[in-house]
Amino acid sequence: MKKIFTLLVLFATALTASAQLSFTMDGNTIENGATITSSKVDPMFTAMGFVMFKPDVFVNSEKAGNVTVEVKALDGRSVSLCFGGNCTSGEYNSKSKDMTAGESVDIQLDGGGMFISGIQTYKCEVTAYYTSDRSSTISFTIIMTNDPT
C-alpha cells in the first residue's frame, strides 16, 4: 500500500511540475505540441497596404522564475520576438524575462512588416521553459497567414 501511495505522489508531482508554464492565445489555452493558426494583423500596417501578423500569444507562469521564450521560423522567414523588451528579429530568436507567480506576459510575436504585402504565411515553433529547468519546456507551432484557402 505504501508503494502505491508513493507512486501516486510522484505521478501527481510530475503532473504539477509540467503544468507550471502555459501559452494562451485570445484567452484560450494552447495545448503543448499543438499547431494553431492566426490571421490577426496589425490594423495600422493593413491601412498602409502591408501585412504584419500580430497574434495575441501570452506565456503564463504559475511560479516565480526566469522564463526563456524561443521562436524558430520553420519556413526560413524572419520573425520578431519582443518578450521582456528589446525586440529581436531573425529566423531564430531567444529572450528571457523574470516572471512572478501568476504572471501572464505577451510574447509580442510578429511576422511581416513594412513592404510585405499580398498573401503571406509564416510558420514558427514557439517554446518556453524555466531557464534553470529545461525539463519544464512547452511548445507549439503557429501558422500566421492571410491565405483564405
Side-chain angles (χ1 to χ4, degrees), residues 3-148:
K3 287 182 182 181
I4 292 173
F5 178 75
T6 302
L7 287 174
L8 288 174
V9 168
L10 288 173
F11 181 70
T13 302
L15 286 177
T16 303
S18 67
Q20 293 178 339
L21 284 173
S22 64
F23 286 111
T24 56
M25 185 173 79
D26 301 325
N28 299 311
T29 300
I30 301 169
E31 295 298 322
N32 189 27
T35 297
I36 62 169
T37 301
S38 176
S39 60
K40 186 170 185 179
V41 293
D42 185 321
M44 183 181 75
F45 281 84
T46 302
M48 295 185 294
F50 303 125
V51 177
M52 168 73 88
F53 295 105
K54 300 278 271 182
D56 290 327
V57 176
F58 287 76
V59 64
N60 313 290
S61 179
E62 292 181 5
K63 70 175 189 176
N66 188 273
V67 175
T68 298
V69 173
E70 299 174 347
V71 176
K72 178 182 175 186
L74 300 176
D75 54 10
R77 302 188 74 184
S78 181
V79 293
S80 295
L81 174 68
C82 299
F83 176 70
N86 297 326
C87 301
T88 61
S89 295
E91 292 180 35
Y92 174 80
N93 300 285
S94 180
K95 302 282 293 169
S96 297
K97 174 185 179 6
D98 287 327
M99 293 182 67
T100 59
E103 187 175 11
S104 182
V105 177
D106 187 348
I107 69 169
Q108 299 180 34
L109 174 63
D110 302 337
M114 296 294 286
F115 308 111
I116 305 294
S117 60
I119 301 297
Q120 299 292 322
T121 300
Y122 291 76
K123 186 175 183 180
C124 306
E125 179 181 58
V126 181
T127 302
Y129 54 90
Y130 290 107
T131 308
S132 63
D133 179 15
R134 290 296 298 243
S135 71
S136 64
T137 299
I138 58 169
S139 66
F140 70 95
T141 300
I142 185 167
I143 301 168
M144 299 176 282
T145 186
N146 59 355
D147 190 341

